[in-house]
């Protein structure tokens, strides 16, 4: 679960000399929201996002629509991009949770991915959500059970062993500190090919743990 | 791990009668990218995003800057919002992976959260990434190990039991089909307060499984 | 033929605090191209023309349409007007040819008319053209004759006397240095209620002068 | 005093295929407000004025500044010009007062001048004001006298003869129905190289006429 496994490889990139108008069309036609700007050898020079394109301040010499049009149609992407020194990037060997942390803390939706200074990909919020979906085996049918357990050593093993003891396969397994109950941990497991009732019956017997949600998905 | 646990409760919402100019300022000042539009009793009437505000087509009677200004300053948010029937929403009891799935498939970044037709929150990409971070215990120091195992019943239990047999606590646990090796599953576990070397030594002994990545975080 | 006779009295004027958007609408609805800005006691503070409204430079903090709209809708006419010290004005007792001279030399289409510093009117190109039409009796039918004569004393009197000797009335009379023939002067006279042939016959007899154009209008 | 004598010959003209942005720059750099659009053989296809460029309605697919820029920068002058069938023109042999009449009645500031369907010039308000200045001998020093006389036959001849009898030259001569006194006619004459007092003394003796304004200019 590393950035290089979930990033978009060979992302669309442009030179700083193309016009903003062209870049904006290019992004629209390819339905992309982030565009790395690169120089020789794919060295990162800057980044533009759809949002960037709108926050660039402008000193207009006139309020004549046609002069504004001329001014804007002459702007290049190099004029408006966020310069490389201000672009937050990530290395291709970083973990996906590190990418998530940066996006959450900086409130940004895309990171250019570098390897020795060269752009080798981009990773976006959507890529990370796709990873989250895989962790939760979202596209596979099964029974999803949330079990609340004390936040202490050995509890997850108890749960996993109980499932394994039945010979059942675990499609997905994850957990977070309980949002409802401090000191507890909510584990989610997803089990395939077993009726819901049997699963509930088995897991109810795990000592010190409580089923808080069950659903067939 | 349900939507209601990770959504923003009591989100900022506005009436359809306010001007777009006001709404845009309000979004900017509060640094929000999505704004539910509600009527009486917080019934959802529509949604605007920063992007929505820019894709609304306009028929201008003139290219005079001041007439354009007047036209635009007279537009209300009700004129430009995506109408409720076209807004994709989610119920507060849905799972977070369902929210992720919708966002990935529809390429959207925000879902209004409903309970009996009333807006009770919004959930965004950022909220889901925060959840992903928690699942991976991102903010807690420990050793993060990725173990590649056959995608078959009992494998995760073998790994969890091996850790538990050492008396070690599992901070985080998750897995995905191996992006490198079809037929395999990559599990990530995070273990606290144990030297990396000891963990590697113990997990190397788990039969049929292979450590593919170890890092202290 | 003084400015006060041809100016628009009680012209539409506004305070500097109204918004440009309002002023522009006001000008459009009243089909006016020039708007004096006045303070207490109708003292001239500035002038805006349709053209002025488009040459004002702007420093935009953003290229977001809605932020531009907010910026522009907050501008007052006082922000964009040409300040009184730079407005070319004329006194109400000046001649209309003086008004014409200023407009031609400065390439401007409107002059606020002052009396002791107070705005009492505006005079525009159109007002002067209306005066020109009256000088040429444009709206009265008659025969318009252009006579080329030496540019020397007594020539106009010869022509006028010849007409008067016939008992004919002169509707209009004017002259300019001949555009075709340096050293000559082209006089135009307009005579009512006389057949063209009779006029030509009479004026052909004026010594040293030549009829260069005759038309019934 | 015909249009062909006062028009701008060989005016700047463009083909309908150039972009509006280029045409607007061209007009600004050459400080012109009206631009005839011509096809093969200088046949008139349309007209644009600075004002025309601002009243063209537009249907925008988006309010994104860059998409608007692209839309506008793709517009050609042929897209926005007033089409030939709606352009008011004048023949080169028309009188200048006819040009003035059209401009006043239609509230327009420029007429393309045609000869057998081909554009041979443009005549503007400024050109007509220049002609008015010449009629009033504006740039020559002298004494300008306004004489009010009954609006009847022989009155102008009386005045002109009285001046001529003194051996004085008339620089300019014109008249309009008195704006102050219905039934009267105000004649303006300009006389060179004679002291004001002598002129007043001579003209005061003209029976039935009254000096209403005298000034040295």
């Amino acid at each position: 679960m590393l950035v290089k496994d979930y990033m978009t490889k060979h992302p669309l990139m442009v030179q700083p000399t193309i016009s903003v108008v062209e870049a904006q069309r290019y992004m629209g036609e390819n339905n992309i929201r982030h565009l790395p700007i690169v120089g020789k050898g794919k060295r990162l020079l800057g980044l533009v996002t759809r949002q960037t394109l709108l926050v660039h301040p402008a000193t207009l010499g006139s309020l004549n629509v046609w002069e504004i049009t001329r001014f804007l149609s002459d702007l290049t992407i190099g004029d408006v991009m966020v310069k490389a020194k201000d672009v937050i990037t990530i290395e291709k060997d970083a973990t996906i949770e590190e990418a998530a942390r940066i996006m959450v803390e900086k409130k940004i939706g895309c990171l250019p991915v570098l390897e020795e200074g060269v752009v080798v990909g981009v990773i976006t919020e959507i890529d990370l959500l796709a990873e989250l979906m895989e962790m939760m085996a979202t596209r596979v049918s099964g029974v999803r059970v949330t079990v609340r357990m004390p936040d202490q050593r050995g509890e997850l093993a108890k749960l996993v062993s109980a499932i394994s003891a039945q010979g059942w396969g675990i499609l997905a397994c994850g957990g977070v500190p309980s949002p409802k109950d401090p000191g507890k941990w909510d584990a989610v497991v997803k089990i395939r090919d077993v009726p819901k009732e049997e699963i509930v019956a088995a897991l109810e017997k795990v000592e010190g743990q409580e089923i808080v949600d069950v659903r067939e998905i």
Side-chain angles (χ1 to χ4, degrees), chain A:
Chain A
M1 295 197 295
L2 301 182
V3 164
K4 65 184 172 192
D5 300 324
Y6 291 91
M7 71 185 186
T8 299
K9 291 182 189 73
H10 311 300
L12 297 171
M13 302 188 283
V14 298
Q15 310 272 332
T17 48
I18 77 162
S19 73
V20 181
V21 166
E22 270 315 290
Q24 198 271 345
R25 169 152 64 180
Y26 190 65
M27 293 172 79
E29 285 176 357
N30 290 288
N31 198 21
I32 54 175
R33 291 190 282 187
H34 314 87
L35 190 60
I37 315 303
V38 291
K40 227 176 157 180
K42 293 192 180 174
R43 296 273 147 189
L44 186 69
L45 297 179
L47 181 72
V48 296
T49 65
R50 291 196 182 169
Q51 195 58 23
T52 310
L53 294 183
L54 300 174
V55 297
H56 186 70
T59 299
L60 304 177
S62 157
L63 291 173
N64 181 295
V65 162
W66 304 104
E67 291 181 19
I68 296 172
T69 297
R70 193 165 72 226
F71 170 80
L72 294 179
S73 63
D74 284 348
L75 280 180
T76 67
I77 208 73
D79 293 327
V80 306
M81 69 185 181
V82 177
K83 298 287 187 300
K85 68 180 174 55
D86 298 319
V87 176
I88 299 167
T89 60
I90 196 163
E91 291 295 311
K92 71 189 252 284
D93 286 317
T95 63
I96 57 97
E97 62 263 32
E98 173 66 5
R101 185 189 62 75
I102 294 171
M103 289 184 193
V104 170
E105 288 178 1
K106 305 292 184 185
K107 277 212 163 193
I108 53 178
C110 175
L111 299 170
V113 181
L114 300 186
E115 182 178 20
E116 294 176 7
V118 170
V119 181
V120 294
V122 291
I123 191 157
T124 67
E125 288 166 328
I126 292 286
D127 296 327
L128 297 183
L129 294 189
E131 203 269 354
L132 174 63
M133 284 172 61
E134 284 215 334
M135 278 183 68
M136 304 307 292
T138 310
R139 290 198 166 102
V140 186
S141 294
V143 175
R144 179 194 193 269
V145 189
T146 307
V147 177
R148 188 158 293 160
M149 56 186 65
D151 187 3
Q152 64 190 31
R153 295 175 183 190
E155 291 291 334
L156 182 61
K158 271 163 63 179
L159 175 63
V160 169
S161 299
I163 295 165
S164 197
Q166 301 286 339
W168 299 336
I170 294 177
L171 280 172
C173 170
V176 293
S178 173
K180 291 290 168 54
D181 202 343
K184 300 278 185 169
W185 207 69
D186 283 357
V188 171
V189 289
K190 192 159 176 184
I191 298 165
R192 180 158 47 176
D193 298 334
V194 184
K196 184 167 124 178
E197 295 70 25
E198 282 186 40
I199 293 170
V200 170
L203 298 190
E204 272 179 348
K205 291 178 193 146
V206 180
E207 206 176 336
Q209 299 190 357
E210 177 195 6
I211 295 172
V212 294
D213 188 79
V214 187
R215 56 184 80 202
E216 292 174 53
I217 286 173

